[in-house]
Amino acid sequence: MDKRLENKLMMLKALLSFLNQNADKWSGNGPLSQVIVELKNLIDQIVATRRLVNTDQSGVVQQKSSIQEDLVDITFALASVLYAMAVRTGDQILQQKVNMTRSDLLRLRDGELASTSQTLLDLLRAYMTPLAEYEITPDDASNLETKLNNYENSLPVNRVTVLERKTANKKIKELFATANQLLTEQLDRMMTRFEKSAPDFYTSYLNARKVVAYGTRYEKPQVSEPTVQP
């Protein structure tokens, strides 16, 4: 999957994480809750289809041990910094979420490790401002995202034929188009009700909706602003 779509997927995951962290704002709204469930289902389908798109044409299962170790190392390192910050600020809930050892991570099953690393990635983005004092930057989050993607793509999959790959490429574009339509025609419009009643939440939502073109450390990220119509 090309970098443009990877960045869109990164935005969708970050947006879903933000919404889940603020479920108290929308959980009582039936239609809005349903749209968010649909968004999660689309993200899950995109992730599953991406594995077919990115699978090596030979169909040979990649050895994932070194890739797994890379993911464990960066997950443990970043979780440790978050834990130290949580202790310093007295945030016991955050402490519980990121209190993990390298051994704990190595014992996790494939899906559990991916889920744990994804949760950490969501937390990093949520706490990026205070983490700046600890010299944690968006590049660190982007690096974790890359290693997580590499790990997910290294998990065993069946042989993928040329036709299957072509079909998967077509499907993933359709899934992104459906997700974009869901955001622009439903979720964005439903969220405008918070512009006056919960302005900070609404502003944070708009920020989460931005697609950031992550590049190398020396490149300035390009940001695509969402269009939200009242």
Side-chain angles (χ1 to χ4, degrees):
M1 193 166 72
D2 64 42
K3 190 63 178 178
R4 179 180 60 86
L5 293 182
E6 290 286 358
N7 287 328
K8 285 188 176 182
L9 177 57
M10 192 180 300
M11 178 274 289
L12 292 174
K13 288 182 175 181
L15 179 62
L16 182 62
S17 174
F18 165 77
L19 291 170
N20 286 335
Q21 291 171 15
N22 293 273
D24 59 303
K25 296 288 195 305
W26 52 264
S27 57
N29 185 318
L32 180 53
S33 298
Q34 184 58 43
V35 168
I36 293 173
V37 169
E38 291 176 15
L39 175 62
K40 180 185 183 304
N41 291 337
L42 282 168
I43 292 173
D44 289 344
Q45 291 181 63
I46 289 172
V47 171
T49 307
R50 182 184 62 179
R51 291 179 183 174
L52 292 176
V53 172
N54 292 346
T55 299
D56 186 271
Q57 184 60 36
S58 65
V60 176
V61 176
Q62 302 178 38
Q63 295 297 323
K64 71 175 189 298
S65 58
S66 62
I67 298 176
Q68 178 186 17
E69 290 176 3
D70 285 346
L71 179 59
V72 166
D73 286 344
I74 190 172
T75 298
F76 174 67
L78 294 174
S80 297
V81 176
L82 261 176
Y83 182 83
M85 186 187 77
V87 172
R88 187 176 181 85
T89 58
D91 190 336
Q92 295 183 359
I93 295 178
L94 180 58
Q95 287 180 46
Q96 294 174 3
K97 290 181 178 179
V98 296
N99 186 15
M100 60 189 76
T101 66
R102 183 179 279 105
S103 296
D104 291 335
L105 294 170
L106 287 171
R107 284 194 294 267
L108 294 176
R109 295 180 179 178
D110 293 340
E112 293 173 336
L113 176 58
S115 177
T116 299
S117 296
Q118 180 62 57
T119 297
L120 177 65
L121 180 61
D122 295 339
L123 289 171
L124 283 175
R125 292 189 172 127
Y127 288 90
M128 190 55 66
T129 298
L131 280 172
E133 183 180 355
Y134 294 78
E135 298 184 340
I136 300 298
T137 71
D139 284 329
D140 292 305
S142 182
N143 191 20
L144 173 58
E145 172 87 8
T146 297
K147 291 185 183 300
L148 174 57
N149 289 341
N150 289 341
Y151 175 72
E152 290 181 328
N153 291 333
S154 75
L155 299 179
V157 294
N158 295 327
R159 180 178 296 273
V160 178
T161 66
V162 174
L163 178 58
E164 287 172 329
R165 184 186 296 274
K166 183 177 180 180
T167 301
N169 272 301
K170 179 180 179 182
K171 180 180 179 181
I172 207 164
K173 291 177 182 178
E174 292 173 347
L175 288 170
F176 272 109
T178 301
N180 184 66
Q181 185 178 36
L182 183 72
L183 292 180
T184 58
E185 295 188 3
Q186 294 192 62
L187 188 57
D188 286 345
R189 293 175 182 267
M190 290 181 178
M191 293 297 291
T192 58
R193 66 189 295 267
F194 297 104
E195 185 173 7
K196 299 298 182 182
S197 62
D200 291 342
F201 171 67
Y202 183 69
T203 298
S204 296
Y205 169 79
L206 293 180
N207 288 333
R209 275 280 280 116
K210 295 176 182 177
V211 178
V212 180
Y214 289 104
T216 63
R217 182 176 296 273
Y218 302 102
E219 293 177 346
K220 183 178 181 180
Q222 298 178 358
V223 179
S224 175
E225 299 283 353
T227 299
V228 180
Q229 300 178 356

